[in-house]
Amino acid sequence: MTRQPRSQHDAFAPSDWAGLATVAAIWGSSFLLIEIGLDHFAPPLVAMLRLAFCVMVLAMFPSARRSVPRSEWPAIAALGLFSMALPFLLFPIAQRSIDSSLAGMLNATAPLFVAVIAAIIHRRLPGARQQLGLVAGFAGVVLISWPAIVGAHASIRGVVLVLLATLSYGIAGNLAAPLQVRNGALPVVFRASVVALALLVPFGLGGLPASTFAWSSLIAVGTLGVFGTAIALVAFTTLLGRVGATRGSVTIYFLPPIAMALGALVRDERIAALSIVGTGLVLLGAWFASRAERKPASVSTIEPSTRRRPADAA
């Protein structure tokens, strides 16, 4: 019997906050690891190796190899394309022409894409508190990143590539939650990563002539694949299945402050006062987005004739 998710109106449980913090800490370091990988590897090779390490780790878990219905494969393949293949390729390419701080800020638009796509799919807006949390969180991200953006060397091409990647994450966020509910996180993530790796192998091999070997880049990409992909995707997919795509996606709001803190520690970067104010807004926005919403008086008034059973959700 598959585990049914708690209502999207429930407040976050301690385990939900733990999952959010774990994913944020791991993903917050991803931009730094990508930069180190790009020192010697071409962007497509970074993407391919990242997924290769991810697949190897997930394959070690027997539960990841548990069978899923054949009817689920189209949705799983789509999840592999939108959650991994496209964004993992687009981010390294984009970071060739924009600063990692700007890439981190733009990455925080993913929850907005998740919310918009969820509203289109369900023909229903998020609750008032969740909307306030999303808006406050995004405003905080802008404040955090503004000092870096002012001094960043950015190209329109790089910005567009990151926005395409975050749009892809928005689609993936809505695909992941129902798939995890029906099949469990590990079987879904493992198969999606295999699909993504198969899609990226031709691009990765094509990037070999433009790459040179260095242990620093290999270790960085390996760390990114094992922790920033395999471990983090399992935790994030589980979180989405528990709290829903829109609220789970507020994890992205924590990435810029983590990335900025790592920059200060590793690269001796200065953190502006405006960024500290923005961090407060991010935390406030995440708190609002995680609070329980007042349940509607009558659920049957919302699409009474078209409301789908869990087994029919995609």
Side-chain angles (χ1 to χ4, degrees):
M1 179 180 296
T2 57
R3 174 178 55 81
Q4 294 299 318
R6 301 193 319 278
S7 169
Q8 64 175 348
H9 303 285
D10 294 340
F12 275 23
S15 59
D16 299 329
W17 280 113
L20 186 152
T22 299
V23 174
I26 295 172
W27 275 345
S29 63
S30 294
F31 303 105
L32 175 63
L33 293 173
I34 290 173
E35 289 288 343
I36 297 173
L38 289 172
D39 287 341
H40 299 277
F41 297 160
L45 184 60
V46 169
M48 185 191 76
L49 290 175
R50 176 181 186 178
L51 275 166
F53 281 107
C54 171
V55 170
M56 286 189 292
V57 171
L58 293 179
M60 297 178 184
F61 295 91
S63 57
R65 302 192 298 270
R66 190 175 65 241
S67 63
V68 299
R70 184 173 297 180
S71 60
E72 298 280 36
W73 269 98
I76 291 174
L79 181 64
L81 172 65
F82 290 112
S83 69
M84 287 175 270
L86 277 177
F88 289 3
L89 180 61
L90 291 174
F91 266 104
I93 296 174
Q95 285 186 226
R96 286 290 200 188
S97 58
I98 64 174
D99 289 346
S100 60
S101 59
L102 179 56
M105 190 281 289
L106 293 172
N107 184 66
T109 61
L112 300 183
F113 285 121
V114 171
V116 169
I117 293 170
I120 293 172
I121 292 173
H122 302 293
R123 287 180 280 177
R124 183 171 64 245
L125 291 174
R129 289 180 181 175
Q130 294 177 26
Q131 292 184 47
L132 177 60
L134 289 168
V135 172
F138 184 71
V141 168
V142 172
L143 289 180
I144 289 171
S145 307
W146 187 255
I149 295 171
V150 170
H153 172 67
S155 73
I156 297 299
R157 176 175 176 270
V159 169
V160 170
L161 289 176
V162 172
L163 289 176
L164 287 175
T166 56
L167 172 61
S168 183
Y169 282 145
I171 297 171
N174 285 280
L175 288 171
L179 279 171
Q180 186 272 331
V181 169
R182 295 194 298 267
N183 304 287
L186 277 176
V188 168
V189 172
F190 176 55
R191 285 163 176 79
S193 63
V194 170
V195 170
L197 177 59
L199 291 172
L200 288 181
V201 163
F203 298 96
L205 295 179
L208 283 173
S211 305
T212 58
F213 178 80
W215 282 109
S216 59
S217 290
L218 183 61
I219 292 172
V221 174
T223 303
L224 184 63
V226 173
F227 295 99
T229 310
I231 304 292
L233 279 175
V234 170
F236 189 56
T237 304
T238 302
L239 180 67
L240 293 181
R242 290 172 60 86
V243 305
T246 298
R247 292 200 297 166
S249 65
V250 301
T251 306
I252 307 301
Y253 286 149
F254 289 89
L255 305 193
I258 292 173
M260 189 167 294
L262 287 174
L265 292 173
V266 177
R267 298 182 175 179
D268 198 27
E269 296 176 354
R270 175 179 172 272
I271 300 177
L274 189 62
S275 298
I276 297 175
V277 175
T279 301
L281 268 180
V282 167
L283 296 175
L284 181 64
W287 184 83
F288 271 114
S290 70
R291 303 311 299 161
E293 290 285 356
R294 180 175 297 177
K295 296 182 180 180
S298 176
V299 177
S300 62
T301 60
I302 303 175
E303 305 179 48
S305 62
T306 60
R307 198 167 61 246
R308 295 178 295 177
R309 301 186 304 276
D312 298 325

